[in-house]
Amino acid sequence: MEKKKLLASTGSFSRAVLGGVLLAITSVTLTACSSSDPALYTLQPVTSAVPTVSSFSGLTAPTLVEIRRPTIPETLDRDRVVLSDSGYKLDVAKSDAWSAPLSDQIPHVLANDLRHRLPGTSFFVQDDATSTEPQAFVELVVTRFSRDASGNAVMNAQVSVHRADSDAPKTNRSIHLSMPAEAGTEGLVRALSTLMGQAADQIAGDIRTLPPAPKQ
């Protein structure tokens, strides 16, 4: 009799353990099925709002310009899109992510924007393969790249443009741009892309005003 009770107790315990394992597996499976891959967003080049300059002082214009990798704070340069930055709070998207780091996207989009604005000059990003030495550099420090409390997309940055020779004077510029952004992540990314184009308009102007290259 005691043996039958022991067998029954053992069987009940085994079924309980098996049921718990199956429940845990089911829970993990349902969680995996309910989660989805994040939506990926990419900055895009935009056309200039000002007339494109097809040529300018051929004696002073650099023919090859390097866009340096920008300095971006870690609060912005992250996988998830920073939706807004208002005061002490940083609102980061739960399911929307950048397709590539901003430190990689921003210089490549800026290079494309500048190519459209200065067709006579070639642009490439630092560390991209090239066998030719650049004649000028564009350096960028991005401090804000998100939506503010009023719903506007905001881009704040410091930009330096200078020729390659070490003694060349630098053109330093503070960029503060904003515009209304449509609701949602896509609306924000579209507005930020437009602000990148507006920044390229200003940077193109700085490149045009570079002093002549030193005589060899």
Side-chain angles (χ1 to χ4, degrees):
M1 185 69 177
E2 292 181 358
K3 185 176 181 179
K4 290 183 178 179
K5 289 182 177 179
L6 179 59
L7 290 173
S9 176
T10 302
S12 298
F13 177 75
S14 299
R15 287 192 296 272
V17 171
L18 180 60
V21 172
L22 290 175
L23 180 61
I25 293 174
T26 302
S27 176
V28 171
T29 302
L30 289 176
T31 300
C33 293
S34 62
S35 63
S36 58
D37 293 332
L40 300 180
Y41 291 87
T42 304
L43 295 169
Q44 296 292 327
V46 298
T47 57
S48 178
V50 298
T52 300
V53 176
S54 57
S55 64
F56 59 98
S57 185
L59 296 176
T60 63
T63 58
L64 185 64
V65 177
E66 178 181 304
I67 311 296
R68 292 283 179 86
R69 294 279 177 180
T71 300
I72 304 176
E74 292 182 2
T75 52
L76 290 175
D77 197 17
R78 56 175 68 223
D79 292 339
R80 303 291 177 173
V81 178
V82 175
L83 298 176
S84 65
D85 175 12
S86 54
Y88 298 100
K89 183 180 179 182
L90 197 70
D91 185 14
V92 181
K94 295 180 175 62
S95 59
D96 297 333
W98 291 112
S99 61
L102 282 179
S103 55
D104 184 67
Q105 286 197 60
I106 287 177
H108 282 93
V109 171
L110 178 59
N112 279 322
D113 282 337
L114 288 172
R115 288 187 193 107
H116 291 123
R117 287 153 178 79
L118 299 173
T121 302
S122 297
F123 295 88
F124 72 98
V125 176
Q126 182 182 8
D127 299 330
D128 285 358
T130 179
S131 59
T132 307
E133 290 295 324
Q135 297 173 339
F137 297 97
V138 175
E139 299 177 6
L140 192 68
V141 178
V142 178
T143 56
R144 193 170 188 182
F145 201 68
S146 59
R147 184 185 274 116
D148 64 13
S150 300
N152 294 316
V154 178
M155 177 182 178
N156 291 341
Q158 296 291 324
V159 180
S160 175
V161 177
H162 60 93
R163 284 197 174 272
D165 51 298
S166 58
D167 296 330
K170 292 187 176 182
T171 299
N172 297 306
R173 175 187 293 275
S174 294
I175 292 179
H176 303 285
L177 300 169
S178 67
M179 64 175 293
E182 297 176 9
T185 305
E186 185 172 347
L188 173 62
V189 174
R190 184 182 299 111
L192 290 173
S193 296
T194 300
L195 295 183
M196 284 285 300
Q198 294 177 10
D201 290 336
Q202 298 184 31
I203 295 171
D206 292 337
I207 294 173
R208 294 188 195 105
T209 60
L210 283 174
K215 294 181 179 180
Q216 301 297 327

